[in-house]
Each structure stands twice: as structure tokens, then as C-alpha cells.
Amino acid sequence: TLEPKTKGMEITWRTALDIALERLGDEVKAYVSKGKMNGEVYVKIITDLNSNFDDYYWYVSIVGTNGKTSGVIINPQSGEVIAKK
């Protein structure tokens, strides 16, 4: 039986997105011109392939049309940002 990986996560994808946008702060402005987003936003569930496959994290990334990228990895239980790029 398939089960969603979000089952049991305290932080939803929407909250993860809000946390990422807050943490990235002014960096987000680099992707906006004339009120339009010049890029794409991705919210993914990831795991550490070298570690325990039972540990999952939210990965929120912004990819600009200019090739610039920003992103954060968020603990799905606490909402803590554990890595920022």
C-alpha cells in the first residue's frame, strides 16, 4: 500500500514555502521584476541517499530565468532551516 511521505509531517508544503521565503528574504527580490516572478519555485520532499531513507525533508528552491538559484532544506517536524544555498 502506498502512503504519502507527508503523513506525520508537522510542517505542510505551504508552511515550508512560507518559511523559505522568509528565510531567503531579500534574495527573493532578485527574482522579481515589475511585479512578475522571473523564475520557478519548487517544493520537494527529499531524503539523504547516504543516510536513513526514513528521514525526509522539505526542499524549497527558486530557479531564476537568469540561471541564479536559491534554496533551503527544512526539517518537516520542527520547521528549522537546516541548510541554505
Side-chain angles (χ1 to χ4, degrees):
T1 305
L2 295 176
E3 288 188 21
K5 294 299 179 190
T6 56
K7 184 178 181 181
M9 288 184 176
E10 297 293 325
I11 305 299
T12 66
W13 71 268
R14 179 64 208 194
T15 303
L17 177 60
D18 291 340
I19 292 168
L21 294 175
E22 180 180 322
R23 183 64 184 266
L24 292 171
D26 287 339
E27 289 180 50
V28 175
K29 293 178 184 176
Y31 300 97
V32 179
S33 176
K34 298 179 183 175
K36 182 179 175 186
M37 177 68 169
N38 294 314
E40 298 177 347
V41 178
Y42 298 94
V43 180
K44 300 178 183 182
I45 298 172
I46 62 169
T47 189
D48 182 354
L49 297 177
N50 297 320
S51 184
N52 185 345
F53 285 107
D54 292 330
D55 293 335
Y56 293 91
Y57 304 91
W58 287 112
Y59 174 60
V60 181
S61 63
I62 303 173
V63 180
T65 54
N66 61 359
K68 178 177 169 46
T69 62
S70 299
V72 295
I73 297 174
I74 301 169
N75 180 304
Q77 302 306 325
S78 68
E80 174 188 5
V81 174
I82 57 175
K84 178 183 169 188
K85 175 185 172 213

